[in-house]
Amino acid sequence: MSWDSTHAWWRALHDVAAEIENRRDGELPWRPEHAAVFGDPGGLIAALRYRWNLTVQAHGEELAGADGEACERELVDANQGVLQVLRASRPREPAAAPAFAAA
């Protein structure tokens, strides 16, 4: 990936994350022009997950420190919209059958 394409990728990811945080509706804002950067909605979800993981790693020492809970709250508050989108994108596991159904 060239510097220009890397810069475009990060700029697009930043713009999408900012839109998600402004809306905070849990919806992935997919547009046709995103396909040139992320491929498909799954690629955008993967990019958002990568960004979140980098954010957590960058705050690792703070999270492990005495004020770790406060740092965690700040990170979650600042990224609430992105976290909603990531939660909504997780594959759903089938509901377990009630215990009495096996009888």
Side-chain angles (χ1 to χ4, degrees):
M1 190 181 281
S2 71
W3 186 90
D4 288 335
S5 60
T6 300
H7 182 72
W9 187 88
W10 279 107
R11 170 57 45 205
L13 185 58
H14 172 79
D15 292 347
V16 168
E19 181 177 348
I20 289 171
E21 291 307 325
N22 284 332
R23 292 175 23 184
R24 290 195 174 191
D25 61 2
E27 298 294 322
L28 182 68
W30 181 258
R31 292 185 187 72
E33 60 265 27
H34 291 154
V37 179
F38 303 108
D40 60 17
L44 177 52
I45 293 291
L48 289 166
R49 186 164 283 114
Y50 175 70
R51 180 180 177 272
W52 171 247
N53 288 336
L54 284 179
T55 299
V56 171
Q57 288 175 6
H59 290 85
E61 288 183 23
E62 293 172 76
L63 289 166
D67 292 330
E69 288 182 25
C71 180
E72 182 178 347
R73 280 192 304 275
E74 288 175 19
L75 286 176
V76 169
D77 288 346
N79 294 280
Q80 188 176 46
V82 169
L83 292 172
Q84 287 174 329
V85 169
L86 292 177
R87 280 188 214 105
S89 72
R90 284 193 300 225
R92 305 284 188 248
E93 292 187 22
F100 63 83

